[in-house]
Amino acid sequence: MIRSAAGLPLTTTNQADVRMDGWAIEARVYAEDPEKFLPSIGTLARYREPVSGPGEKVRCDSGVAEGSEISVYYDPMISKLSAHGPTRNDAIAALSGALDRYLITGVTHNIPLLRDVVASPAFAAGRTSTSFLAEHYPHGFKGHRLDERSAPQLAAATSALHYIRNARDNPSAAASGLADYALLLPQLLDDGSVAKLEARVNLQLLSATLNLSGTNDFQATVSSDQQQKTVVNFSVKWNVDQPFADIVYQKNDSNNESILFLAPLPLGMRVQFRGTKFDIDVLSPDQRELLRLMKEKEKLDTSRLVLAPMPGTIISVAVSVGDVVAEGAQVAVVEAMKMQNVLRAPRPGVVKAVHVVPGATVSGDDILVELSDD
């Protein structure tokens, strides 16, 4: 098609020369919230496309680069990521690995959902239809669900990254080659709340010396809330503070993977694991016990507010101060990326304040309308 558009002759006109060769799967990467299916705008603060690993064929077609803007005026597609393999499973494995090595920050993107879909047994078996998402995510997509296998692996790998960073900043703290951590792994539940899965990790450096820019061998004994213990033997290839860390599980070579180190946090780090971002607390045993004594921060009550779900332009406002509205009544319409979105009252009430007029430009989570109970 590209050669024809350029006026070049076809390489062949004999249909017999066109042969099927293996499997190829394409994933369309969008600047889009995979939970709400709303577009995201902003600057690609960090952007690195995946390349083919050993024995893989991966191709990324995009028109963006680090520093590019995703605006409200155009379709939010970032790229088309394709992977090829001799079999369907080989193509899926190559695509999964490519998604794990795809670094995008600055905008919300749908890699978490793409990665979860291609890892689904139903997808691997070819049992797909237009109702796939409704069938497999009846409560909406909530990110990668940690299970009895992936939770210890994430806890072990995160502990190792934390240990390596700590050894760089404080070499004497890592002199023994041993560390005990309490990790809190966030898990988004069906009702939208966040649960914290606790894992205790006893980490041991097996390498003779610690390499801050290469491969280190570890053994982690991970204890869960249910007192289950899992021993994970693995190696980590990581240039400290660079985004890409390669994990090799020594008892399961078929499950090697990449984890993205995205940012340090006050009590841990943000990583991307199997497509999903996790803000993980990595605590000492003493810190964990003290944290139990602290009051949880009260959540902001937004039940009386109508918020902008994304940046855009206000097309219309359907209410005025003093109006009585029912739950679900239309209050405004906002346009973004050539799509109009109707915003509705989250509860019955009286309009207390209207903060926008038609034609106004708004940012995501701006307060548009306030309601009161009176």
Side-chain angles (χ1 to χ4, degrees), residues 6-250:
L8 299 175
L10 296 176
T11 56
T12 181
T13 57
N14 184 0
Q15 185 63 34
D17 293 336
V18 181
R19 296 177 290 109
M20 297 287 287
D21 179 22
W23 288 75
I25 303 175
E26 177 188 283
R28 297 194 173 192
V29 179
Y30 271 75
E32 180 179 84
D33 184 338
E35 297 171 21
K36 301 176 182 178
F37 293 100
L38 295 174
S40 172
I41 72 164
T43 302
L44 298 180
R46 289 196 291 172
Y47 182 80
R48 297 187 193 177
E49 296 175 351
V51 296
S52 297
E56 295 178 345
K57 293 181 179 178
V58 172
R59 170 174 163 174
C60 190
D61 295 318
S62 69
V64 297
E66 196 163 280
S68 293
E69 292 284 337
I70 306 296
S71 78
V72 297
Y73 303 109
Y74 302 102
D75 185 276
M77 182 186 289
I78 295 175
S79 71
K80 296 178 181 179
L81 181 64
S82 303
H84 176 272
T87 67
R88 181 179 177 86
N89 286 339
D90 291 331
I92 289 174
L95 183 59
S96 297
L99 290 168
D100 285 344
R101 300 190 301 271
Y102 205 150
L103 175 65
I104 303 173
T105 68
V107 297
T108 304
H109 52 78
N110 67 336
I111 285 178
L113 177 59
L114 296 174
R115 179 62 171 82
D116 212 62
V117 167
V118 299
S120 163
F123 183 85
R127 298 193 301 270
T128 58
S129 69
T130 53
S131 60
F132 184 92
L133 295 182
E135 292 173 356
H136 292 272
Y137 307 101
H139 302 288
F141 176 68
K142 305 299 180 184
H144 172 71
R145 289 300 178 97
L146 296 171
D147 55 29
E148 60 184 12
R149 184 179 181 188
S150 64
Q153 290 176 334
L154 174 58
T158 304
S159 296
L161 299 187
H162 182 83
Y163 178 87
I164 295 169
R165 293 189 80 246
N166 192 41
R168 179 200 60 184
D169 300 333
N170 185 13
S172 62
S176 67
L178 302 171
D180 291 333
Y181 299 121
L183 277 71
L184 299 180
L185 311 175
Q187 183 71 80
L188 191 61
L189 303 179
D190 289 340
D191 62 1
S193 62
V194 178
K196 293 284 184 131
L197 308 179
E198 184 168 352
R200 292 293 183 115
V201 179
N202 300 113
L203 187 71
Q204 179 180 3
L205 175 67
L206 301 180
S207 301
T209 58
L210 185 68
N211 189 338
L212 297 180
S213 59
T215 301
N216 295 283
D217 297 327
F218 291 94
Q219 181 182 83
T221 302
V222 184
S223 303
S224 69
D225 292 337
Q226 292 76 32
Q227 303 304 313
Q228 295 176 330
K229 288 190 176 181
T230 303
V231 177
V232 183
N233 291 286
F234 62 105
S235 63
V236 177
K237 183 180 180 182
W238 187 42
N239 189 345
V240 63
D241 274 358
Q242 292 301 305
F244 302 99
D246 294 324
I247 312 297
V248 178
Y249 301 108
Q250 295 174 4

Side-chain angles (χ1 to χ4, degrees), residues 272-289:
Q272 185 169 308
F273 175 73
R274 299 185 185 175
T276 296
K277 294 178 184 178
F278 290 90
D279 287 356
I280 301 175
D281 294 332
V282 185
L283 311 171
S284 69
D286 288 343
Q287 287 176 316
R288 180 62 186 109
E289 293 309 311

